[in-house]
């Protein structure tokens, strides 16, 4: 496999010639099919078309995005736009898809630039490479997880995260209406960002619709502005009307929502995202094995749908109570509420909003239904902004990002990709740790002995999964074991980072301001 396109994709502004890699993931076919659907079918059929198993299941703005791309794609290869050309992957098709992702990263680069302007951070030395803004730009632009998900595995997350970072930057700049607009647009591109919507809603209400605080930081109830509430509501309404209006006119909203929220899928994705349910499933598996060994369980009563088969399906747990979508919703809301409470009653300005946003993303990742492993980036990227401002947040970021990035390794499972993902992650991790240690060198160490031991444990885990396990007899009998070990081990680290950030948010005092701009 030629590694050229991957390295060039990592640095899209390179002047060197790019070569497109022949290998491609399933997501190439997903997006090719969406190009074909939006290009060749009328809008009334977009959310009904099911020739391919990869049906359109993103909100309307993303469907229109694919429609626009399709009118460029036709100049590369018209055949990719045929709905019945399943698994079509000509070299011109792959070339177009690779270039489209790189081109859309322009928005991400601009959003990073805007975010860096909002960061004051801790000043260390006179070297450019030691400045918080420089470190932040590297942590975002060269993010390992975003690199492999977009430019190797293939998706358009950079473009979407660009919208999110731009909305965050506008809130830091007190341009609240613009921030609300960009986030509303983002929601209609990809609905996974609903995870962080509570943070946006509460922060905008608290810091924009209420125009003043008391000296102790508590709210002045008589400062409420109906005009600002109506303005925000109008922005959200107009964006939603533009997105959903055509499908409302066609009486197709129920069909659209059924595609966006497919609760008939299983609790976990194709392999377990490293969250609470990974630990829950692993415990159920251990208890079932013990139960069978001790003859407490009847083998004939064990559910056939296996949580370790790697399939996306509904299932029943063997020992522990089975989990329903309602259960995950309740758990997620309970996990989010304390951070929302702190955002309202212990205002800490934009930084407090950013910490609440990260906690909302992490809580949804921890307890959500059918969570994709890639959703961890929704917490890692905003946490990057916090990492250059405070040593405690830097420590949490490094644990979260190292563990979260390693959990993405199974996305790249071919032999030629093994040295690529190991090298790139090592480069990003070493830079992250060394740069943040330098930035906060006058403060206490970023890791204690337990955290250091845990992070170093990722090395032996990788050796066992990639170099030892394939040569054991367990490969045939327990093919799921590397995925299980990776998910469970990473779930421990992500859970720890989530808990540590929550404690920090709960104990930090509010920032008192007598007047907000």
């Amino acid at each position: 496999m030629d590694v050229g396109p991957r390295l060039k994709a990592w640095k899209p502004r390179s002047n060197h010639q790019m070569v497109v890699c022949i290998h491609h993931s399933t997501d190439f076919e997903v997006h090719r099919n969406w190009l074909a659907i939006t290009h060749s079918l009328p809008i009334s059929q977009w959310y009904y078309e099911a020739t391919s198993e990869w049906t359109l299941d993103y909100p309307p703005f993303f469907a229109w995005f694919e429609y626009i791309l399709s009118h460029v794609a036709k100049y590369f290869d018209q055949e990719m736009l045929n709905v019945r050309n399943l698994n079509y992957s000509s070299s011109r098709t792959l070339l177009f898809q690779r270039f489209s992702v790189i081109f859309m990263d322009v928005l991400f680069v601009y959003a990073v630039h805007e975010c860096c302007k909002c960061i004051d951070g801790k000043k260390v030395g006179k070297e450019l490479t030691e400045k918080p803004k420089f470190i932040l730009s590297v942590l975002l632009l060269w993010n390992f997880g975003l690199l492999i998900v977009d430019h190797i595995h293939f998706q358009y997350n950079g473009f979407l995260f660009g919208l999110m970072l731009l909305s965050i930057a506008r809130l830091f700049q007190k341009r609240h209406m613009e921030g609300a607009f960009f986030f509303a647009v983002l929601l209609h591109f990809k609905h996974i960002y609903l995870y962080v919507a509570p943070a946006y809603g509460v922060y905008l209400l608290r810091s924009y619709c209420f125009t003043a605080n008391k000296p102790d930081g508590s709210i002045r109830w008589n400062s409420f502005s109906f005009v600002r509430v109506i303005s925000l509501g109008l922005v959200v309404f107009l964006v939603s009307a533009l997105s959903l209006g055509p499908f409302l006119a066609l009486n197709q909203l129920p069909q659209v929502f059924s595609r966006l929220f497919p609760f008939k899928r299983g609790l976990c994705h194709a392999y377990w995202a490293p969250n609470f349910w990974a630990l829950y499933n692993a415990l159920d598996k251990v208890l079932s094995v013990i139960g069978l060994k001790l003859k407490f369980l009847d083998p004939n009563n064990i559910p056939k749908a296996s949580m370790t088969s790697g399939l996306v399906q509904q299932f029943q747990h063997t020992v522990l109570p089975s989990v329903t979508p309602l259960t995950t919703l309740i758990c997620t809301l309970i996990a989010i509420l304390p951070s929302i409470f702190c955002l309202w009653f212990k205002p800490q300005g934009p930084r407090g909003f950013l910490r609440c946003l990260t906690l909302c993303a992490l809580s949804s990742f921890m307890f959500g239904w059918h969570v994709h492993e890639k959703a961890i980036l929704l917490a890692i990227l905003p946490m990057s902004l916090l990492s250059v401002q405070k040593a405690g947040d830097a420590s949490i970021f490094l644990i979260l990002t190292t563990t979260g990035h390693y959990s993405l390794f199974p996305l790249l499972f071919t032999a030629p990709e093994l040295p690529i993902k190991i090298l790139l992650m090592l480069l990003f991790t070493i830079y992250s740790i060394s740069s943040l240690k330098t930035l906060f060198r006058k403060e206490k160490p970023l890791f204690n002995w337990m955290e250091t031991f845990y992070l170093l444990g990722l090395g032996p885990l990788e050796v066992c999964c990639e170099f030892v396990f394939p040569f054991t007899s367990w490969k045939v009998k327990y093919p799921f074991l590397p995925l299980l070990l990776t998910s469970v081990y990473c779930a421990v680290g992500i859970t720890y980072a989530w808990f540590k950030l929550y404690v920090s948010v709960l104990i930090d005092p509010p920032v008192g301001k007598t007047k907000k701009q």
Side-chain angles (χ1 to χ4, degrees), residues 398-428:
L398 290 173
I399 297 170
L400 176 65
T401 195
T402 305
T403 310
H405 283 166
Y406 180 79
S407 72
L408 298 174
F409 266 34
L411 287 175
L412 308 180
F413 52 85
T414 64
E417 290 169 325
L418 179 61
I420 297 173
K421 66 184 181 183
I422 292 176
L423 175 61
L424 294 182
M425 181 171 171
L426 281 175
L427 288 173
F428 181 82

Side-chain angles (χ1 to χ4, degrees), residues 281-488:
N281 295 336
L283 178 60
D284 181 76
K285 190 69 177 178
V286 170
L287 292 176
S288 65
V289 170
I290 295 175
L292 288 173
K293 291 289 185 182
L294 300 178
K295 297 184 178 180
F296 291 151
L297 298 175
D298 184 355
N300 297 322
N301 294 331
I302 300 296
K304 293 183 179 180
S306 170
M307 272 311 299
T308 53
S309 64
L311 300 176
V312 180
Q313 56 183 324
Q314 291 179 300
F315 62 93
Q316 296 292 320
H317 286 90
T318 304
V319 179
L320 299 176
S322 291
V323 180
T324 65
L326 179 60
T327 302
T328 63
L329 176 61
I330 293 173
C331 290
T332 302
L333 291 176
I334 292 174
I336 285 175
L337 279 177
S339 63
I340 297 298
F341 179 90
C342 289
L343 185 60
W344 182 270
F345 290 100
K346 296 172 56 179
Q348 297 175 341
R351 180 173 171 271
F353 157 73
L354 200 52
R355 300 182 93 194
C356 180
L357 183 151
T358 305
L359 281 173
C360 285
L362 271 178
S363 298
S364 300
F365 181 85
M366 289 288 295
F367 300 103
W369 177 266
H370 195 72
V371 174
H372 288 233
E373 61 284 346
K374 299 181 283 287
I376 192 62
L377 295 177
L378 189 53
I380 289 176
L381 290 177
M383 193 70 201
S384 303
L385 278 72
L386 295 170
S387 69
V388 297
Q389 301 181 72
K390 189 177 178 182
D393 288 338
S395 173
I396 296 169
F397 166 78
L398 290 173
I399 297 170
L400 176 65
T401 195
T402 305
T403 310
H405 283 166
Y406 180 79
S407 72
L408 298 174
F409 266 34
L411 287 175
L412 308 180
F413 52 85
T414 64
E417 290 169 325
L418 179 61
I420 297 173
K421 66 184 181 183
I422 292 176
L423 175 61
L424 294 182
M425 181 171 171
L426 281 175
L427 288 173
F428 181 82
T429 304
I430 291 171
Y431 173 80
S432 301
I433 295 175
S434 61
S435 61
L436 291 176
K437 277 189 172 181
T438 300
L439 187 63
F440 299 107
R441 57 175 173 258
K442 295 183 179 179
E443 302 187 33
K444 65 179 182 179
L446 296 180
F447 302 127
N448 58 37
W449 70 268
M450 181 185 68
E451 294 164 349
T452 302
F453 181 79
Y454 170 81
L455 292 176
L456 290 175
L458 292 171
L461 176 63
E462 177 67 6
V463 171
C464 289
C465 291
E466 295 287 357
F467 301 103
V468 177
F469 180 81
F471 299 99
T472 66
S473 59
W474 286 4
K475 181 179 180 181
V476 176
K477 191 174 182 181
Y478 304 109
F480 57 83
L481 198 54
L483 292 180
L484 186 150
L485 290 175
T486 299
S487 295
V488 171

Side-chain angles (χ1 to χ4, degrees), residues 178-189:
E178 291 181 48
F181 170 76
F182 285 123
F183 183 69
V185 170
L186 177 61
L187 285 179
H188 289 277
F189 267 99

Side-chain angles (χ1 to χ4, degrees), residues 90-204:
S90 69
S91 59
R92 288 176 177 268
T93 299
L94 298 183
L95 179 70
F96 167 75
Q97 291 182 298
R98 287 292 191 197
F99 269 118
S100 66
V101 173
I102 295 171
F103 177 78
M104 295 311 300
D105 273 354
V106 171
L107 178 62
F108 182 72
V109 174
Y110 172 70
V112 170
H113 171 71
E114 290 297 301
C115 285
C116 288
K117 293 195 309 186
C118 302
I119 300 300
D120 293 326
K122 180 180 174 65
K123 296 183 179 180
V124 176
K126 297 181 179 180
E127 296 293 330
L128 173 65
T129 55
E130 295 182 356
K131 300 296 184 182
K133 292 182 180 181
F134 179 86
I135 295 173
L136 175 61
S137 66
V138 175
L139 294 180
L140 290 173
L141 291 174
W142 295 77
N143 181 272
F144 166 77
L146 195 57
L147 164 67
I148 67 169
V149 169
D150 274 16
H151 297 286
I152 299 181
H153 184 74
F154 184 79
Q155 282 189 351
Y156 291 94
N157 290 293
F159 163 63
L160 298 172
F161 277 120
L163 283 172
M164 187 183 79
L165 291 179
L166 193 55
S167 73
I168 291 172
R170 293 300 181 251
L171 294 184
F172 268 75
Q173 296 161 358
K174 300 189 183 300
R175 296 157 66 176
H176 298 88
M177 291 292 289
E178 291 181 48
F181 170 76
F182 285 123
F183 183 69
V185 170
L186 177 61
L187 285 179
H188 289 277
F189 267 99
K190 192 171 184 178
H191 51 302
I192 192 175
Y193 294 93
L194 280 170
Y195 287 169
V196 299
Y200 274 89
V202 171
Y203 180 73
L204 286 169

